[in-house]
Amino acid sequence: MPTEALQFARQNQSRFLDQLKELLRIPSISTLPEHRGDVRRAAEVLAAELKRIGMENVQLIETSGHPLVYADWLHAAGKPTCLCYGHYDVQPPDPLEEWISPPFEPTERNGNIYARGAVDDKGQMYMHVKALESLLHAHDGKLPLNVRLILEGEEEVGGEGIAQFVREHPERLRADFSLVSDTEMFAPDLPTLCVGLRGMIYTEIEAHGAATDLHSGIYGGAAPNPFFALCQVLAQLKDANGHILIPGVYDAVVPPSAEELKAWASLPFSEEEFLHNEVGSCALTGELEYSVLERLWARPTLEIHGMPGGFIGAGAKTVIPAKAIAKVSMRLVPEMEPQKIFNLYKQYVESLCPSGISLDVRLIHSGDAIVIGVDNPYIEAATAALHQVFGKDTVFIRSGGSIPIVGDFERSLKIPSIMMGFGLPDDNLHAPNEKFCIANFHRGIESLIHFFEMLGAEGHGEA
Ligand code: BES
Ligand code: MN
Ligand code: MN
């Protein structure tokens, strides 16, 4: 017999989805200044909903950037406190012409809901809200455990606001563990907990040559070209075998344990399928001496994202641009320190600067890599909850992506994080046609209800 909270969630499935669609219609793109108002509107809609379902102390907390949404319910004396985290901001939707239905008009197709933010992270964050609503409704406005909930609106731009808040007010987020639903399952129907994330540094290299744009016929051959300079620099950052060439960059890298490697080797993974169904290129690249999963989860990498500048319109323009930019990031693994790595990177890039060019190397944002121990009662309750819903044992994976605040939770709040995500490998995060499997939205809500009910039951006191 399902609990009352589960019954409520099942009876309200279509309303939950409709409400998610409302949220998905708001283009809360944190990186674009013209969407500032939309980001705030998303925060306000969430705050209003949290009040309506019976959460307490609901408030928007202002930051240097977009607001945080906070709520709590702290009356379960003697029970553990969970810090629910999610983000309501999204990545830009471009290229728009690649979307089958428009990014901010959520559309159902073959059991999925398509929209920017469907899985990353509005849909997943909203599972927390709807699990809490179900529990509050079923228990006369009470929860089985204590909950604080914090939602940020700038995860996709580095999360500086929440990081500062956590550093300055750790007591306001005091909890026994955090719960994050912003990751993926390893395969459909395979319950998954993510226990490791890569860190990152995101940088820009700005190259300056001539004082102004120049005619490339009159000056070409004698004047420096900042794009060429960037190409020369970038080409020396990584070799053809995927090795980063920055001196000292690998010094701190801690390889995964033999146990972890063994577990990864037994995951249902086919390099062929990954290549054809997910990547879609003619070959995989990188450090071939490591397995694909090791390359993605436990090795640092360096990527170029875009090179703004010069002439990019249709047709031809013969110009030597005065300046050019390269956006470059590195993914980091434990124990690489972002600031140290940035210093090594900056020093090396500057040492490669061609004659006639000046380079400005700057850090846009950074975050730590993290690996989470699996030996705690919250992991145990999470696997038991997932077993209830999926009828299978949970696999533990790492992910190559980054969620900067998880490291801060560990360092500033000294709590472990449970990363229980319900995304799928083909959900198109940050890409056109992002989607969330609707069944996973509902299974996620049910898993969270089980999880909270288990932690509220006897035997799970305060840590
Ligand atoms: N939810 C993702 C990270 C993620 C995706 C983790 C899939 C595990 C599995 C998050 O929203 C994200 O995209 N983070 C950014 C980091 C940020 C600092 C821009 C990323 O990883 O690029
Ligand atoms: Mn996310
Ligand atoms: Mn993201």
Side-chain angles (χ1 to χ4, degrees):
M1 183 67 186
T3 64
E4 278 178 51
L6 283 169
Q7 289 181 38
F8 179 85
R10 285 180 193 164
Q11 284 154 6
N12 286 274
Q13 283 188 348
S14 65
R15 173 174 61 85
F16 288 178
L17 189 62
D18 286 343
Q19 284 185 295
L20 172 59
K21 288 183 188 167
E22 279 305 308
L23 194 61
L24 291 170
R25 286 194 185 96
I26 306 174
S28 49
I29 307 162
S30 49
T31 200
L32 299 178
E34 62 270 32
H35 285 283
R36 221 186 153 69
D38 293 316
V39 180
R40 178 167 295 268
R41 193 151 53 87
E44 283 164 355
V45 165
L46 285 163
E49 179 63 4
L50 289 164
K51 266 189 204 149
R52 189 190 68 77
I53 66 172
M55 291 297 287
E56 300 179 348
N57 298 311
V58 178
Q59 51 187 287
L60 295 199
I61 298 172
E62 299 302 330
T63 71
S64 53
H66 302 295
L68 302 170
V69 181
Y70 175 87
D72 63 28
W73 194 92
L74 301 169
H75 307 293
K79 301 296 179 189
T81 302
C82 173
L83 175 63
C84 292
Y85 162 87
H87 65 92
Y88 63 86
D89 65 320
V90 301
Q91 290 268 336
D94 53 275
L96 283 175
E97 63 280 7
E98 299 288 324
W99 285 79
I100 293 166
S101 51
F104 297 106
E105 291 175 27
T107 305
E108 289 181 42
R109 279 197 303 279
N110 11 332
N112 297 305
I113 176 115
Y114 286 83
R116 170 59 85 232
V119 70
D120 185 14
D121 179 41
K122 284 174 173 168
Q124 297 212 68
M125 169 219 59
Y126 212 56
M127 298 181 314
H128 291 200
V129 179
K130 295 294 111 178
L132 293 173
E133 173 180 355
S134 304
L135 289 163
L136 286 162
H137 182 91
H139 302 284
D140 297 320
K142 296 196 183 74
L143 291 176
L145 77 177
N146 302 293
V147 171
R148 297 180 197 268
L149 181 136
I150 187 94
L151 308 175
E152 70 164 314
E154 43 187 17
E155 193 275 343
E156 300 289 11
V157 290
E160 187 41 44
I162 192 173
Q164 194 181 343
F165 184 76
V166 170
R167 280 197 300 270
E168 289 174 5
H169 304 284
E171 75 292 347
R172 292 191 55 190
L173 297 178
R174 192 166 47 223
D176 295 302
F177 68 99
S178 91
L179 176 65
V180 178
S181 297
D182 193 21
T183 54
E184 300 176 330
M185 307 200 322
F186 191 74
D189 302 316
L190 187 58
T192 303
L193 290 175
C194 178
V195 295
L197 295 168
R198 284 197 287 193
M200 82 178 314
I201 58 170
Y202 198 108
T203 78
E204 276 180 356
I205 310 174
E206 186 167 324
H208 280 263
T212 175
D213 284 10
L214 298 173
H215 187 294
S216 68
I218 301 176
Y219 298 99
N225 184 317
F227 267 109
F228 229 100
L230 283 179
C231 293
Q232 288 167 335
V233 169
L234 296 174
Q236 295 177 74
L237 295 184
K238 211 159 83 166
D239 71 15
N241 302 315
H243 303 122
I244 302 169
L245 300 174
I246 303 167
V249 79
Y250 291 108
D251 287 357
V253 168
V254 177
S257 67
E259 217 184 349
E260 242 183 322
L261 286 174
K262 207 175 130 209
W264 296 353
S266 70
L267 288 167
F269 181 78
S270 144
E271 211 170 291
E272 276 301 293
E273 277 174 35
F274 177 74
L275 172 63
H276 292 112
N277 303 346
E278 291 191 52
V279 177
S281 59
C282 58
L284 297 176
T285 57
E287 299 175 301
L288 299 182
E289 66 273 35
Y290 294 92
S291 74
V292 173
L293 294 181
E294 258 179 293
R295 265 135 74 193
L296 299 175
W297 296 348
R299 293 292 296 167
T301 184
L302 183 150
E303 302 298 334
I304 303 168
H305 307 289
M307 295 181 64
F311 179 67
I312 56 161
K317 179 184 180 191
T318 46
V319 65
I320 298 175
K323 73 166 201 182
I325 293 177
K327 291 176 182 283
V328 177
S329 81
M330 284 180 66
R331 297 282 166 172
L332 313 179
V333 301
E335 295 288 322
M336 298 170 86
E337 274 181 44
Q339 191 60 52
K340 265 196 199 157
I341 297 297
F342 177 69
N343 294 345
L344 292 177
Y345 164 86
K346 183 176 161 81
Q347 206 177 12
Y348 180 60
V349 166
E350 284 169 353
S351 79
L352 300 174
C353 184
S355 150
I357 296 287
S358 67
L359 294 177
D360 180 25
V361 185
R362 44 187 188 246
L363 182 63
I364 309 287
H365 60 67
S366 65
D368 283 284
I370 178 123
V371 175
I372 278 139
V374 292
D375 194 14
N376 66 60
Y378 315 108
I379 290 270
E380 228 171 89
T383 57
L386 290 167
H387 201 279
Q388 293 275 327
V389 174
F390 291 86
K392 285 186 192 162
D393 287 341
T394 293
V395 295
F396 296 101
I397 67 166
R398 291 200 206 175
S399 167
S402 309
I403 308 174
I405 198 60
V406 174
D408 295 275
F409 286 161
E410 167 125 337
R411 266 189 320 279
S412 295
L413 304 179
K414 315 243 176 316
I415 56 174
S417 291
I418 299 298
M419 291 190 273
M420 192 196 287
F422 298 90
L424 291 179
D426 66 348
D427 275 349
N428 300 320
L429 282 73
H430 297 197
N433 304 308
E434 179 180 346
K435 68 169 176 71
F436 191 15
C437 166
I438 295 169
N440 279 12
F441 175 61
H442 298 301
R443 291 198 287 191
I445 293 168
E446 295 197 12
S447 302
L448 293 166
I449 292 172
H450 281 292
F451 180 58
F452 289 142
E453 285 181 336
M454 278 177 195
L455 287 173
E458 288 312 305
H460 279 294
E462 274 171 282

